[in-house]
Amino acid sequence: MAEFTMELNDEQKEVRDWLHGFAADVIRPAAAEWDEREETPWPVIQEAAKVGIYSLDFYAQQYFDPTGLGIPMAMEELFWGDAGIALSIVGTGLAAVGVLANGTEEQIGTWIPQMYGDANDVKVAAFCSSEPDAGSDVASMRTRAVYDEAKDEWVINGTKTWATNGGIANVHVVVAVVDPELGSKGHASFIIPPNTPGLAQGQKFKKHGIRASHTAEVILDNVRVPGSCLLGGKEKLDERLARARERAKAGGERVKNAAMATFEASRPAVGAMAVGTARAAYEVALDYAKTREQFGRPIIDNQGVAFQLADMRTSIDAARLLVWRASWMAINGKPFTAAEGSMSKLFASETAKKVTAQAVQILGGNGYTREYPVERMHRDSAIYTIFEGTSEIQRLVIARTLSGMPIR
């Protein structure tokens, strides 16, 4: 087990600097254009693939870093560049985590490479969990998967929403109900292979922020997939459902569903994204405050501005500490006994919203225009308190973990 440290090793520093250079030289110059176009930035994703950032090898290298700091370090640097473009680059990772968290070795080896494609033929993947009537309330999920034993196929029907890369993905990972009586414990995850009949894109959402990232509904109409597309396999699912039924009879509730396993693994990474956006806005505000003069002196000479910047930097560093702690705990198999993963996501996402708002305020009227990037960063930051578990849900998870009570 690697010891927890806040000091990156030489190899990590080299990767960090490489990612920072890509974010500064490739992502940032393209940020405003793709935000306005509200389209997937395929040329930027292809550039990331050419240099090895958008690839299974790079993602796996960071994911399995024994210190746990590979993924959060990478997320922070890419999202420092721009949140919308960065999410287009890393959005496939959520689907990959879904397979890594729930799939067999054969499924991991078969499907994750197809999620990325290669530098000459870039692909993306989508993780589909939320539904029109089931966002935070996963127990209300209606997408249904029924097993056709005669053909060894699963038949899936339903509608997913808020899916990053939904409909344009080469591979979709879909969470569906297999046993309605078990509520959220009766869910399972399925791979939907490329060009599977019955899967179609619904409406594409026009969003407040992260506009360069494609977000859409996914319609599943009698989608049939082989039994081998059930993540983890039928035997493992039957055993899990049997345990859930026994616990339900005994009044227990300690069986995790497929979507929650994915979200638990990814929450610190989302926190790192928020840290990257917050840091970017802080740096713009700091530079502006040093050069912008009012009443014959730089505005940073005023305590009202200087103290805001002090608070911004303090919150950013505190958020990073929480994210890195949770990431280290996760890779080293330490249980989140105080919901440390949710803590990191909660604090970092709230920090991003606050810091970007303060950056707009420091820039004044300029901060409110699209001539300066803090306006876009402020819009982008709103998503962190919403996706992969709202701030309210994170607080609920933390409170339940600390108290042991079924707080509602």
Side-chain angles (χ1 to χ4, degrees):
M1 182 178 69
E3 293 185 1
F4 179 69
T5 175
M6 289 298 295
E7 181 66 29
L8 298 177
N9 59 41
D10 291 341
E11 183 178 350
Q12 290 168 328
K13 289 177 182 177
E14 184 176 345
V15 172
R16 178 199 61 193
D17 294 344
W18 171 53
L19 290 170
H20 187 81
F22 183 85
D25 298 339
V26 180
I27 294 178
R28 277 206 171 176
E33 175 188 352
W34 291 99
D35 178 71
E36 291 288 346
R37 292 175 63 167
E38 299 190 51
E39 297 174 358
T40 301
W42 291 108
V44 183
I45 298 174
Q46 188 168 32
E47 286 300 312
K50 287 179 179 177
V51 299
I53 293 173
Y54 186 77
S55 70
L56 172 60
D57 288 344
F58 175 75
Y59 190 83
Q61 182 181 4
Q62 303 314 311
Y63 186 85
F64 292 110
D65 180 341
T67 69
L69 302 186
I71 288 293
M73 177 265 296
M75 295 297 133
E76 180 177 338
E77 294 304 327
L78 292 173
F79 280 74
W80 172 90
D82 176 68
I85 292 178
L87 189 56
S88 290
I89 293 173
V90 308
T92 292
L94 184 58
V97 168
V99 176
L100 287 169
N102 301 296
T104 64
E105 288 187 10
E106 182 179 356
Q107 289 170 331
I108 291 169
T110 299
W111 295 112
I112 293 184
Q114 295 187 48
M115 293 179 173
Y116 289 91
D118 57 48
N120 296 317
D121 186 19
V122 170
K123 305 293 185 183
V124 295
F127 182 77
C128 308
S129 177
S130 293
E131 298 184 3
D133 297 318
S136 298
D137 183 11
V138 293
S140 296
M141 190 177 292
R142 295 179 181 177
T143 296
R144 185 75 191 276
V146 178
Y147 185 56
D148 184 341
E149 190 170 358
K151 296 183 177 180
D152 185 27
E153 291 180 339
W154 289 90
V155 184
I156 306 173
N157 285 279
T159 299
K160 294 296 181 179
T161 193
W162 308 122
T164 298
N165 298 329
I168 66 171
N170 193 48
V171 176
H172 291 75
V173 177
V174 173
V175 182
V177 178
V178 294
D179 189 333
E181 295 183 0
L182 291 175
S184 62
K185 307 302 183 290
H187 296 174
S189 290
F190 298 86
I191 290 286
I192 312 297
N195 303 314
T196 298
L199 185 147
Q201 179 183 310
Q203 71 165 316
K204 177 187 174 183
F205 295 104
K206 295 181 72 67
K207 305 187 299 295
H208 175 64
I210 54 167
R211 294 176 178 176
S213 174
H214 176 96
T215 310
E217 289 182 332
V218 174
I219 312 299
L220 302 118
D221 183 13
N222 285 323
V223 170
R224 283 183 169 267
V225 298
S228 59
C229 287
L230 166 65
L231 289 181
K234 185 75 163 54
E235 182 178 349
K236 183 178 179 181
L237 172 65
D238 289 341
E239 291 175 356
R240 179 167 63 82
L241 295 178
R243 290 197 304 271
R245 293 185 190 104
E246 289 300 317
R247 284 184 165 87
K249 290 178 182 178
E253 293 254 339
R254 298 304 299 167
V255 180
K256 296 176 183 176
N257 65 66
M260 289 302 102
T262 300
F263 290 143
E264 282 188 10
S266 63
R267 276 172 180 158
V270 176
M273 299 173 189
V275 171
T277 300
R279 188 183 114 210
Y282 159 76
E283 290 176 0
V284 172
L286 178 63
D287 290 343
Y288 185 88
K290 288 179 177 179
T291 57
R292 172 67 169 173
E293 291 192 359
Q294 289 287 281
F295 305 105
R297 61 181 184 176
I299 62 173
I300 199 171
D301 279 355
N302 299 302
Q303 285 188 2
V305 173
F307 284 8
Q308 280 195 78
L309 289 162
D311 287 342
M312 291 159 74
R313 176 59 187 267
T314 300
S315 295
I316 291 166
D317 282 12
R320 186 183 297 108
L321 276 165
L322 287 170
V323 166
W324 284 20
R325 179 185 68 168
S327 300
W328 172 81
M329 291 177 68
I331 197 67
N332 286 286
K334 289 187 171 293
F336 290 158
T337 56
E340 289 87 350
S342 290
M343 282 185 185
S344 69
K345 199 265 187 185
L346 170 65
F347 190 81
S349 60
E350 293 290 344
T351 292
K353 280 188 70 174
K354 182 177 180 181
V355 165
T356 55
Q358 288 174 307
V360 170
Q361 190 70 22
I362 289 171
L363 269 68
N366 287 329
Y368 200 64
T369 71
R370 295 189 182 181
E371 296 300 314
Y372 288 80
V374 293
E375 178 272 340
R376 184 180 66 252
M377 295 168 183
H378 183 43
R379 285 189 285 107
D380 291 342
S381 69
I383 194 60
Y384 299 127
T385 63
I386 298 172
F387 71 175
E388 295 195 47
T390 64
S391 288
E392 291 74 22
I393 289 297
Q394 305 309 322
R395 292 185 175 98
L396 186 64
V397 170
I398 295 166
R400 284 177 174 175
T401 304
L402 297 178
S403 68
M405 301 294 290
I407 299 168
R408 296 185 182 277

Coordinates of all heavy atoms in Angstrom, one line a residue, residues 129-142 159-162:
S129 N -27.5 6.3 -16.9 CA -28.1 5.9 -15.7 C -29.4 6.7 -15.5 O -30.5 6.2 -15.3 CB -27.2 6.0 -14.5 OG -27.8 5.7 -13.3
S130 N -29.3 8.1 -15.5 CA -30.4 8.9 -15.2 C -31.5 8.7 -16.2 O -31.3 8.4 -17.3 CB -29.9 10.4 -15.2 OG -29.0 10.7 -14.2
E131 N -32.7 9.0 -15.7 CA -34.0 8.9 -16.5 C -34.8 10.1 -16.2 O -34.6 10.9 -15.2 CB -34.7 7.6 -16.1 CG -34.0 6.4 -16.4 CD -34.8 5.1 -16.2 OE1 -36.0 5.2 -15.8 OE2 -34.2 4.0 -16.3
P132 N -35.8 10.4 -17.1 CA -36.6 11.6 -16.9 C -37.3 11.7 -15.5 O -37.4 12.8 -14.9 CB -37.7 11.4 -18.0 CG -37.0 10.7 -19.1 CD -36.1 9.7 -18.4
D133 N -37.6 10.5 -14.9 CA -38.2 10.5 -13.6 C -37.3 9.8 -12.5 O -37.8 9.5 -11.4 CB -39.6 9.8 -13.6 CG -40.6 10.5 -14.5 OD1 -40.7 11.7 -14.4 OD2 -41.3 9.8 -15.3
A134 N -36.1 9.6 -12.8 CA -35.2 9.0 -11.9 C -33.8 9.5 -12.1 O -33.0 9.0 -12.9 CB -35.2 7.5 -12.1
G135 N -33.5 10.6 -11.3 CA -32.1 11.2 -11.3 C -31.4 10.7 -10.0 O -30.9 9.7 -9.9
S136 N -31.6 11.6 -9.0 CA -31.1 11.2 -7.7 C -31.8 10.0 -7.1 O -31.3 9.2 -6.4 CB -31.2 12.4 -6.8 OG -30.4 13.5 -7.2
D137 N -33.1 9.9 -7.5 CA -34.0 8.8 -7.0 C -33.8 7.6 -7.9 O -34.7 7.3 -8.7 CB -35.4 9.3 -6.9 CG -36.4 8.2 -6.4 OD1 -35.9 7.2 -5.8 OD2 -37.6 8.4 -6.5
V138 N -32.7 6.9 -7.7 CA -32.4 5.7 -8.6 C -33.4 4.6 -8.4 O -33.6 3.8 -9.3 CB -31.0 5.2 -8.3 CG1 -30.0 6.2 -8.8 CG2 -30.8 4.8 -6.9
A139 N -34.1 4.6 -7.2 CA -35.1 3.5 -7.0 C -36.3 3.6 -7.9 O -37.1 2.7 -8.1 CB -35.6 3.5 -5.6
S140 N -36.5 4.8 -8.5 CA -37.6 5.1 -9.4 C -37.3 4.7 -10.9 O -38.0 5.0 -11.8 CB -38.1 6.5 -9.3 OG -38.5 6.8 -8.0
M141 N -36.1 4.1 -11.1 CA -35.7 3.8 -12.5 C -36.7 2.9 -13.2 O -37.2 1.9 -12.5 CB -34.3 3.1 -12.5 CG -33.7 3.0 -13.8 SD -32.0 2.3 -13.7 CE -31.1 3.6 -12.9
R142 N -37.0 3.1 -14.4 CA -38.0 2.4 -15.1 C -37.5 1.6 -16.3 O -38.2 0.7 -16.8 CB -39.1 3.3 -15.7 CG -39.9 4.0 -14.6 CD -41.0 4.9 -15.2 NE -41.8 5.6 -14.1 CZ -42.7 6.5 -14.4 NH1 -43.0 6.8 -15.6 NH2 -43.3 7.1 -13.4
T159 N -36.0 4.8 -21.4 CA -35.4 6.1 -21.9 C -34.4 6.6 -20.9 O -34.8 6.7 -19.7 CB -36.5 7.2 -22.1 OG1 -37.4 6.7 -23.1 CG2 -35.9 8.5 -22.6
K160 N -33.2 6.9 -21.3 CA -32.2 7.5 -20.5 C -32.0 9.0 -20.8 O -32.3 9.4 -22.0 CB -30.9 6.7 -20.6 CG -30.9 5.3 -20.1 CD -31.2 5.2 -18.6 CE -31.2 3.8 -18.1 NZ -31.4 3.7 -16.7
T161 N -31.6 9.7 -19.9 CA -31.4 11.2 -20.1 C -30.1 11.7 -19.5 O -29.5 11.0 -18.7 CB -32.6 12.0 -19.6 OG1 -32.6 13.3 -20.1 CG2 -32.7 12.0 -18.1
W162 N -29.7 12.9 -19.9 CA -28.5 13.5 -19.4 C -27.3 12.6 -19.6 O -26.4 12.6 -18.8 CB -28.6 13.8 -17.9 CG -29.8 14.6 -17.5 CD1 -30.8 14.3 -16.6 CD2 -30.2 15.9 -18.0 NE1 -31.7 15.3 -16.6 CE2 -31.4 16.3 -17.4 CE3 -29.6 16.8 -19.0 CZ2 -32.0 17.5 -17.7 CZ3 -30.3 18.0 -19.3 CH2 -31.5 18.3 -18.6

